[in-house]
mmCIF file of all heavy atoms in Angstrom:
data_model
loop_
_atom_site.group_PDB
_atom_site.id
_atom_site.type_symbol
_atom_site.label_atom_id
_atom_site.label_comp_id
_atom_site.label_asym_id
_atom_site.label_seq_id
_atom_site.Cartn_x
_atom_site.Cartn_y
_atom_site.Cartn_z
ATOM 1 N N ALA R 53 17.147 -23.122 -18.297
ATOM 2 C CA ALA R 53 16.011 -22.716 -19.147
ATOM 3 C C ALA R 53 16.433 -21.594 -20.086
ATOM 4 O O ALA R 53 17.384 -20.860 -19.823
ATOM 5 C CB ALA R 53 14.859 -22.242 -18.263
ATOM 6 N N GLN R 54 15.714 -21.500 -21.217
ATOM 7 C CA GLN R 54 15.936 -20.398 -22.157
ATOM 8 C C GLN R 54 14.619 -19.662 -22.310
ATOM 9 O O GLN R 54 13.585 -20.301 -22.503
ATOM 10 C CB GLN R 54 16.321 -20.949 -23.522
ATOM 11 C CG GLN R 54 17.457 -21.911 -23.434
ATOM 12 C CD GLN R 54 18.519 -21.595 -24.475
ATOM 13 O OE1 GLN R 54 18.435 -20.580 -25.155
ATOM 14 N NE2 GLN R 54 19.505 -22.460 -24.565
ATOM 15 N N GLU R 74 19.328 -8.366 -19.228
ATOM 16 C CA GLU R 74 19.519 -8.014 -20.646
ATOM 17 C C GLU R 74 20.703 -8.735 -21.300
ATOM 18 O O GLU R 74 20.613 -9.189 -22.432
ATOM 19 C CB GLU R 74 19.704 -6.493 -20.791
ATOM 20 C CG GLU R 74 18.462 -5.819 -21.312
ATOM 21 C CD GLU R 74 18.472 -4.317 -21.064
ATOM 22 O OE1 GLU R 74 19.562 -3.728 -21.022
ATOM 23 O OE2 GLU R 74 17.365 -3.755 -20.896
ATOM 24 N N GLU R 90 2.812 -14.511 -38.470
ATOM 25 C CA GLU R 90 4.089 -14.950 -39.032
ATOM 26 C C GLU R 90 5.191 -14.926 -37.977
ATOM 27 O O GLU R 90 5.959 -15.877 -37.815
ATOM 28 C CB GLU R 90 4.462 -14.012 -40.176
ATOM 29 C CG GLU R 90 5.157 -14.711 -41.322
ATOM 30 C CD GLU R 90 5.300 -13.749 -42.498
ATOM 31 O OE1 GLU R 90 4.262 -13.275 -43.020
ATOM 32 O OE2 GLU R 90 6.451 -13.457 -42.849
ATOM 33 N N GLU R 117 -12.061 2.837 -24.145
ATOM 34 C CA GLU R 117 -11.834 2.311 -25.501
ATOM 35 C C GLU R 117 -11.521 0.828 -25.357
ATOM 36 O O GLU R 117 -10.521 0.467 -24.741
ATOM 37 C CB GLU R 117 -10.643 3.054 -26.126
ATOM 38 C CG GLU R 117 -10.306 2.690 -27.560
ATOM 39 C CD GLU R 117 -9.440 1.446 -27.684
ATOM 40 O OE1 GLU R 117 -8.579 1.199 -26.819
ATOM 41 O OE2 GLU R 117 -9.658 0.694 -28.637
ATOM 42 N N MET R 123 -8.554 -6.852 -29.555
ATOM 43 C CA MET R 123 -7.459 -7.261 -30.444
ATOM 44 C C MET R 123 -6.455 -8.142 -29.703
ATOM 45 O O MET R 123 -6.137 -9.248 -30.135
ATOM 46 C CB MET R 123 -6.732 -6.024 -31.011
ATOM 47 C CG MET R 123 -7.528 -5.236 -32.020
ATOM 48 S SD MET R 123 -8.059 -6.220 -33.422
ATOM 49 C CE MET R 123 -6.511 -6.427 -34.279
ATOM 50 N N LEU R 132 -2.010 -17.041 -30.998
ATOM 51 C CA LEU R 132 -1.042 -17.881 -30.260
ATOM 52 C C LEU R 132 -1.503 -19.342 -30.221
ATOM 53 O O LEU R 132 -0.726 -20.264 -30.466
ATOM 54 C CB LEU R 132 -0.879 -17.364 -28.826
ATOM 55 C CG LEU R 132 -0.137 -16.039 -28.642
ATOM 56 C CD1 LEU R 132 -0.267 -15.572 -27.182
ATOM 57 C CD2 LEU R 132 1.343 -16.166 -29.017
ATOM 58 N N GLY R 181 -13.183 -13.940 -23.306
ATOM 59 C CA GLY R 181 -13.114 -14.382 -24.703
ATOM 60 C C GLY R 181 -11.852 -15.196 -24.953
ATOM 61 O O GLY R 181 -11.883 -16.221 -25.652
ATOM 62 N N ILE R 198 -3.625 -24.821 -20.201
ATOM 63 C CA ILE R 198 -4.116 -24.627 -18.831
ATOM 64 C C ILE R 198 -4.445 -23.147 -18.680
ATOM 65 O O ILE R 198 -3.681 -22.291 -19.125
ATOM 66 C CB ILE R 198 -3.057 -25.022 -17.786
ATOM 67 C CG1 ILE R 198 -2.749 -26.527 -17.869
ATOM 68 C CG2 ILE R 198 -3.522 -24.660 -16.382
ATOM 69 C CD1 ILE R 198 -1.681 -26.990 -16.888
ATOM 70 N N LEU R 242 -2.793 -10.385 -3.965
ATOM 71 C CA LEU R 242 -1.829 -11.480 -4.141
ATOM 72 C C LEU R 242 -0.459 -10.879 -4.462
ATOM 73 O O LEU R 242 -0.339 -10.084 -5.411
ATOM 74 C CB LEU R 242 -2.319 -12.347 -5.310
ATOM 75 C CG LEU R 242 -1.411 -13.431 -5.872
ATOM 76 C CD1 LEU R 242 -1.213 -14.558 -4.855
ATOM 77 C CD2 LEU R 242 -2.020 -14.018 -7.166
ATOM 78 N N CYS R 248 3.847 -15.922 -9.251
ATOM 79 C CA CYS R 248 4.861 -16.573 -10.102
ATOM 80 C C CYS R 248 5.102 -18.023 -9.649
ATOM 81 O O CYS R 248 5.213 -18.930 -10.485
ATOM 82 C CB CYS R 248 6.176 -15.795 -10.053
ATOM 83 S SG CYS R 248 6.061 -14.182 -10.860
ATOM 84 N N LEU R 251 2.231 -20.133 -10.873
ATOM 85 C CA LEU R 251 2.275 -20.419 -12.319
ATOM 86 C C LEU R 251 3.306 -21.504 -12.626
ATOM 87 O O LEU R 251 3.074 -22.390 -13.456
ATOM 88 C CB LEU R 251 2.623 -19.143 -13.093
ATOM 89 C CG LEU R 251 1.553 -18.057 -13.077
ATOM 90 C CD1 LEU R 251 2.084 -16.774 -13.699
ATOM 91 C CD2 LEU R 251 0.301 -18.527 -13.817
ATOM 92 N N GLN R 356 -8.755 10.900 -16.786
ATOM 93 C CA GLN R 356 -9.370 9.967 -15.838
ATOM 94 C C GLN R 356 -9.706 10.646 -14.504
ATOM 95 O O GLN R 356 -10.717 10.340 -13.891
ATOM 96 C CB GLN R 356 -8.407 8.782 -15.607
ATOM 97 C CG GLN R 356 -8.893 7.730 -14.636
ATOM 98 C CD GLN R 356 -10.125 6.997 -15.133
ATOM 99 O OE1 GLN R 356 -10.454 7.010 -16.327
ATOM 100 N NE2 GLN R 356 -10.828 6.360 -14.218
ATOM 101 N N TYR R 367 -11.234 12.978 2.741
ATOM 102 C CA TYR R 367 -11.506 12.029 3.821
ATOM 103 C C TYR R 367 -11.724 12.789 5.117
ATOM 104 O O TYR R 367 -10.968 13.690 5.459
ATOM 105 C CB TYR R 367 -10.310 11.080 3.960
ATOM 106 C CG TYR R 367 -10.453 10.122 5.106
ATOM 107 C CD1 TYR R 367 -11.308 9.029 5.012
ATOM 108 C CD2 TYR R 367 -9.736 10.312 6.281
ATOM 109 C CE1 TYR R 367 -11.447 8.143 6.069
ATOM 110 C CE2 TYR R 367 -9.864 9.433 7.333
ATOM 111 C CZ TYR R 367 -10.716 8.353 7.233
ATOM 112 O OH TYR R 367 -10.846 7.491 8.268
ATOM 113 N N PRO R 374 -18.297 8.668 2.596
ATOM 114 C CA PRO R 374 -19.528 9.290 2.095
ATOM 115 C C PRO R 374 -20.511 8.237 1.589
ATOM 116 O O PRO R 374 -20.116 7.117 1.301
ATOM 117 C CB PRO R 374 -19.039 10.175 0.954
ATOM 118 C CG PRO R 374 -17.778 9.554 0.489
ATOM 119 C CD PRO R 374 -17.173 8.864 1.672
#
Side-chain angles (χ1 to χ4, degrees):
Q54 308 228 7
E74 256 163 29
E90 216 171 299
E117 183 277 326
M123 289 303 287
L132 289 171
I198 296 178
L242 170 68
C248 291
L251 292 172
Q356 179 65 18
Y367 176 76

